Every structure is written in C-alpha cells, then in structure tokens.
Amino acid sequence: MEKIQYWNPFLETLPREKIRKLQLRKFQKIFRWAYEHSVFHRSLYDRAGVLPKDIRSFEDIRRVPKVEKAMMRDIQSRDPFPYGDALCVPLDQVSVFRQTSGTTGKPVYQPDTWQDWEWWAESWAFILWAQGYRPRDRVFIPFGYNIFVAFWAGHYAAEKIGCEVVPGGVLDTQARILKIQELQATAMMATPTYVLGMADTARQKMDIDPSQLSINKITCAGEPGASIPSTKKRMETAWDAKVYDHSGATEIGAWSYECQAQPGGMHVNEAFFLVEIEDLDTGEIIEEPGRRGKMIITALDRQAQPCVRFDSKDVIEWDDAPCACGRTFRLIKGGVVGRSDDITKVKGVLLAPAAIEEVVRSIDGLGDEYEVIVDKLGDRDRIKLKVELMPDAQERSKTIKTHLKDQLRLKTNLAYLTEFYDYGRLPRYEVKAKRFKDLRKKH
Amino acid sequence: MNNQTEIEDICEKIGQMKKIALELNQNEPPYPFLKRNTERILASIKMLELNVSDIAGSVN
C-alpha cells in the first residue's frame, strides 16, 4: 500500500548514485539523438569540438555548449517552416504546435510528436500524484485552451491518472466559479495571480466565499507565487485548500514539483531532466546547497525539438535536506526564486522582484495586487511601489505604511517611494502578471 | 518480490507488448486504423520504458 504514494516508486526513490548513473546514460542518448538528427545541434557541437563519443562523465557534459532562447528564435527563420533546423523528426511526425508566451521577446515555436506529448503528460502525472490527485478527484481547469502550453499537459495528465477533468475553457471568471460550485470540483490548476483573482471575484462580485467551495487542492504554474510563503498563505486561506507549486516551460517540459510534505521547495524530476546550476558571475557549476545560480536544463527524453543544456535563466538553489515524502529526487529550496534577467541592480543593490511580493502579501490590510517601477531621477535610481489598501484597513493606513517600509528595507535593503491606492485601482491580470517595470533602459 | 526481480518481470512484459505493437504497426498494407492506433500504443509503451526499462541497468 505504501507504494501508492508515488506515481513510480522505482524512480522516485532510486538511490542517488543510481539516479546520477541514469542521468548520464540518458544524457549520452539525447545528445547523440540531437547530434544525429538536427542540423542546428550538429553544427553547434561540431564548432565546439564536442561529439557524442566524448560524453563519458558529468565533467564532459559541462563542455557541451548551452542553448539560449535567442538562438531558438534565429533557428526558426530557417527551413523547415515554421520550426527551423533544430527539428529532429520529419514534419509529418509533428502532432502538435505550441509557442512560448513571448514575455521575453519573440515567441519560440515548439513542435511535439505524439510521443513527446505522452511524455509531457507523464511528467505531469508525477506532479499530480505527488500532490494528492487521485481518480476520485474532479479537476476544474480555468484556462483558455490555446497555443500556450500552460495547463494542457495538466489536463491530459489528470485524465491519465484517472481524474474527471472539467475544461473551464472560454468561460469567464464568474461562470467558472459557478461551475466549480455546481459540480463540486475538488481541485484546480491556475497561475497564482488567477487563483487570487478568482477568489477576489467570488467575494466582491458574487458574494461567494471561495473557502466554502469544494476545492481542496490547487496546482499553480506560470509564476513563482506558490513558492512565495506569503502568496501561498493568501491562496490557501482564500480557498481553504492546499496550494502546490510546480515549474515547467514550453521549451523544457514540467521539470519540478512540490509534494504533499511541502518541504519549502520543489523536487526536480531527475529521471526525466538533468538540472545543473551555474554561478551567475563565474559560470562555475554549483553542486552544494545554499548558493543561488541560474538553471541549465536538459530534457532527457524529448525528441522533436530537443532541449539540451538550455539556459533557462531561472534562478534556483539546491537543498540537500531529505524530504519527509521519501523521494530521493533532489529539492530546490523555495522553488524558482527569480529569473537571472529579472534580477537587477537598483542603487547598487541586487534586487529580486519576488522579495517585494513576499513583503507586500505578508502584510494584512494590503491587497494582492502591486506594481514596482524602477526609473531614474537624474543620475540616481528610483524605485516606486504601488499597493492597494483594503477597504477595512483605511484606519490603519499609517501603521501599515510604516510596517511596509520597514519590511521592504529589511528584506531588500532598499528604500522605496510607496503609493497607496484604493482597492481595485491597480491592473488585474488573468494569466502571467507583469508587475515589475524597469524603465531605466529608456532613459 | 524484490525490486530487481519485479523490474525485470515488468520489463519482459513491456518488451512482449512492444514486439506485438511493432509488428502490427509495420503491417502491409498499412491500414490507417492500424498504423495510427499502434503509433499511439507505441508512444504509451515508450512511457512504460521511461518509467521502468531505462532503470533496469541502473538498478541491476
């Protein structure tokens, strides 16, 4: 009976040395696949002088050139249309198109074969099973099923593990809440922004308390919120549900997940992915816990458009503490703590925007929404934080403002101009929010 | 049954399924119903391999 807590007890409790052995063997395989089937990869590796026969150890893997998103954008102007020459299979084997959201520039197209798509769903099956999804669950997915991968694989994985899935497609937020109520859905998947937004809509516009609905677990993706303690707490309180994080990306796959033990981090699915952490300044590979760096990741089984040593820009750090769930897959502490291209210097101090969210959402009386704007006043950086005051907190506004400024200084080492707005005045987002604006490049 | 024996037993059965699915997939003439459905079956079998067959060597 004990094995039922794992989707696959053989892989998820494999001893560390065997996981590493498996990863090396699988890396050799996917590297050879990319070299032999993709014009782009062969040319990249030939130029670097690294051939499949050269990969015999993890040290050798570090010699393999990294792939950046900008390179993928260039590739896609080449044949075969529309994917370019990183494509490893004939076009008639591509069964589905997706594209990245374009948050950081021109979107990248992602082809997948049916096997790749099975692999996406399989990766998500690990996630959902670890988070307590079982065949008895009725899973509501409030997602605009479209060209973005988002929760598509979550949908297929929930079906695969035996859940009943309710696709919340083109319904608006109020209709989705009513459908959750009507069907007594037990679980849902959404971005943290939308989880909070739905709760807000239910309370403010429908006089429905979301904590009284039947949702008992929520899986988040797309933003780091479910790993930011104050944001997680707000979501869990609003819905009276467990909120779990997971991390994935269109060009990578679903590579990590929080388990029911909620150890303050996420497990990397090391049977399907090889994660390396690279020091932001020196490029050195970080093996030990407690040092942040950017993630270089390989999807070990993805075939149509391989993901081999992809520079994801996600900032993470290892955590070597054993997890109470018994999984031997390594943990990353606090989930994805930022993106290397979001971490910026303001007034000479390194700032990760997630730290501001942690402060804002830890303060009772402030709304969920906020906006950060960095610009220049003359030669000096200036950082402005806009927040909303909840209607029942007006009388405490002075205390809240002082507490906010103190906490911001304590957690980010910076002084902010703060602006308070009435509740409902700041922009609302449905999917990925853009709350951090750095205007200095325009000066 | 210990892990190693259990894995070997599962792997053997996965191998048998794959052999039959491949035979049907390569049937002549290639009837669309047979070709496309066995393509899907083979993709599912591949997931079984990723879950078990790939670690047979590591565990042994």
Side-chain angles (χ1 to χ4, degrees):
Chain A
M1 286 300 287
E2 194 196 352
K3 287 180 178 177
I4 290 174
Q5 70 173 302
Y6 306 112
W7 175 248
N8 179 341
F10 303 121
L11 286 180
E12 291 176 274
T13 61
L14 200 61
R16 294 288 321 154
E17 69 277 10
K18 287 178 178 170
I19 290 177
R20 295 294 276 171
K21 203 170 151 188
L22 174 69
Q23 287 182 310
L24 178 58
R25 209 168 60 199
K26 290 180 86 167
F27 186 93
Q28 290 165 330
K29 215 166 154 184
I30 195 67
F31 182 76
R32 180 175 291 281
W33 167 266
Y35 185 85
E36 290 177 350
H37 294 83
S38 146
V39 174
F40 161 74
H41 285 92
R42 177 184 285 257
S43 159
L44 181 69
Y45 302 146
D46 277 346
R47 282 200 306 275
V50 187
L51 305 178
K53 67 176 176 51
D54 299 328
I55 308 296
R56 288 182 293 264
S57 66
F58 285 95
E59 286 298 318
D60 297 330
I61 289 175
R62 291 168 195 172
R63 291 175 48 224
V64 173
K66 289 173 281 187
V67 173
E68 299 206 5
K69 194 175 261 188
M71 295 158 85
M72 297 307 293
R73 291 187 183 110
D74 289 345
I75 290 162
Q76 296 192 331
S77 60
R78 302 181 204 148
D79 284 334
F81 176 82
Y83 301 111
D85 59 10
L87 187 68
C88 283
V89 297
L91 271 171
D92 65 5
Q93 285 186 25
V94 175
S95 64
V96 69
F97 166 94
R98 305 270 184 248
Q99 67 173 60
T100 59
S101 61
T103 314
T104 58
K106 189 182 167 199
V108 172
Y109 299 156
Q110 182 66 48
D112 280 313
T113 62
W114 181 254
Q115 182 180 300
D116 287 329
W117 195 244
E118 279 282 352
W119 167 85
W120 258 108
E122 192 67 25
S123 309
W124 263 86
F126 279 82
I127 297 167
L128 297 182
W129 199 267
Q131 297 177 350
Y133 288 70
R134 295 292 182 270
R136 62 181 173 273
D137 276 307
R138 181 172 293 135
V139 184
F140 188 84
I141 307 188
F143 152 63
Y145 292 74
N146 55 27
I147 52 175
F148 304 124
V149 76
F151 295 98
W152 275 108
H155 176 123
Y156 281 95
E159 283 184 353
K160 179 180 258 199
I161 70 177
C163 301
E164 178 186 345
V165 182
V166 185
V170 295
L171 303 175
D172 67 19
T173 301
Q174 294 192 41
R176 285 169 173 168
I177 291 162
L178 288 174
K179 194 53 76 179
I180 286 171
Q181 190 176 48
E182 175 193 337
L183 296 175
Q184 297 175 23
T186 58
M188 71 173 184
M189 306 174 193
T191 61
T193 291
Y194 197 58
V195 171
L196 288 171
M198 283 178 87
D200 203 35
T201 299
R203 283 187 302 247
Q204 305 296 331
K205 296 185 178 163
M206 304 169 76
D207 203 22
I208 290 175
D209 177 357
S211 70
Q212 296 303 307
L213 297 174
S214 44
I215 297 290
N216 61 50
K217 54 187 160 293
I218 299 170
T219 298
C220 287
E223 296 171 333
S227 282
I228 296 175
S230 58
T231 301
K232 184 195 272 290
K233 190 177 171 196
R234 282 195 177 208
M235 291 190 281
E236 292 195 331
T237 305
W239 289 89
D240 189 23
K242 281 286 186 190
V243 170
Y244 299 104
D245 201 4
H246 120 274
S247 194
T250 315
E251 60 276 59
I252 300 170
W255 59 273
S256 69
Y257 54 94
E258 194 177 2
C259 64
Q260 282 183 294
Q262 294 192 307
M266 293 194 288
H267 291 280
V268 174
N269 182 341
E270 295 183 294
F272 283 23
F273 298 89
L274 172 65
V275 164
E276 302 165 83
I277 304 179
E278 190 183 90
D279 187 280
L280 289 171
D281 296 321
T282 65
E284 171 200 359
I285 295 296
I286 299 169
E287 295 286 3
E288 69 274 25
R291 272 176 69 195
R292 288 184 179 180
K294 68 173 173 174
M295 178 175 78
I296 310 298
I297 188 164
T298 300
L300 296 166
D301 303 291
R302 196 171 191 179
Q303 293 202 310
Q305 187 165 277
C307 169
V308 180
R309 297 207 85 221
F310 180 69
D311 182 352
S312 72
K313 315 279 186 208
D314 287 330
V315 176
I316 56 173
E317 67 178 84
W318 291 121
D319 181 351
D320 272 356
C323 185
C325 75
R327 285 178 180 79
T328 49
F329 287 169
R330 218 171 171 189
L331 288 166
I332 52 168
K333 191 175 184 177
V336 174
V337 293
R339 286 184 54 80
S340 59
D341 44 11
D342 272 352
I343 290 180
T344 183
K345 274 194 175 174
V346 178
K347 300 178 188 176
V349 176
L350 270 182
L351 172 72
I356 301 172
E357 177 168 318
E358 165 64 4
V359 170
V360 171
R361 291 184 175 162
S362 69
I363 296 176
D364 180 38
L366 292 182
D368 295 326
E369 287 303 332
Y370 68 94
E371 199 170 285
V372 184
I373 299 163
V374 183
D375 63 4
K376 273 195 178 294
L377 189 65
D379 287 338
R380 297 180 61 197
D381 289 341
R382 180 172 64 172
I383 183 162
K384 188 189 292 179
L385 172 65
K386 299 180 178 180
V387 292
E388 289 181 346
L389 200 58
M390 296 302 286
D392 61 359
Q394 295 292 344
E395 284 179 8
R396 295 182 285 132
S397 67
K398 267 192 176 173
T399 321
I400 290 172
K401 194 167 188 173
T402 308
H403 185 47
L404 174 65
K405 286 200 163 198
D406 288 348
Q407 286 298 306
L408 286 168
R409 183 173 282 284
L410 191 69
K411 299 280 169 58
T412 69
N413 288 315
L414 285 167
Y416 296 70
L417 287 171
T418 50
E419 289 182 358
F420 280 67
Y421 290 81
D422 287 340
Y423 175 78
R425 295 287 303 280
L426 292 177
R428 262 57 182 166
Y429 300 89
E430 280 227 344
V431 192
K432 285 188 182 183
K434 188 76 184 161
R435 299 188 176 97
F436 183 80
K437 294 170 183 167
D438 190 344
L439 307 179
R440 289 172 298 180
K441 288 161 199 161
K442 292 178 184 170
H443 284 260
Chain B
M1 195 183 281
N2 66 30
N3 267 7
Q4 193 175 316
T5 318
E6 196 175 359
I7 287 172
E8 281 168 8
D9 187 46
I10 294 171
C11 285
E12 193 186 323
K13 287 170 181 157
I14 292 170
Q16 290 166 3
M17 280 203 301
K18 188 174 183 177
K19 187 168 173 281
I20 294 168
L22 275 170
E23 278 174 22
L24 288 171
N25 183 257
Q26 282 150 23
N27 187 72
E28 285 297 335
Y31 301 111
F33 81 90
L34 199 53
K35 187 81 182 164
R36 303 314 305 173
N37 278 304
T38 51
E39 288 287 336
R40 291 201 167 205
I41 290 167
L42 284 165
S44 290
I45 290 173
K46 181 67 184 173
M47 295 309 110
L48 294 173
E49 290 178 338
L50 296 185
N51 272 291
V52 182
S53 309
D54 282 354
I55 56 166
S58 296
V59 171
N60 290 338

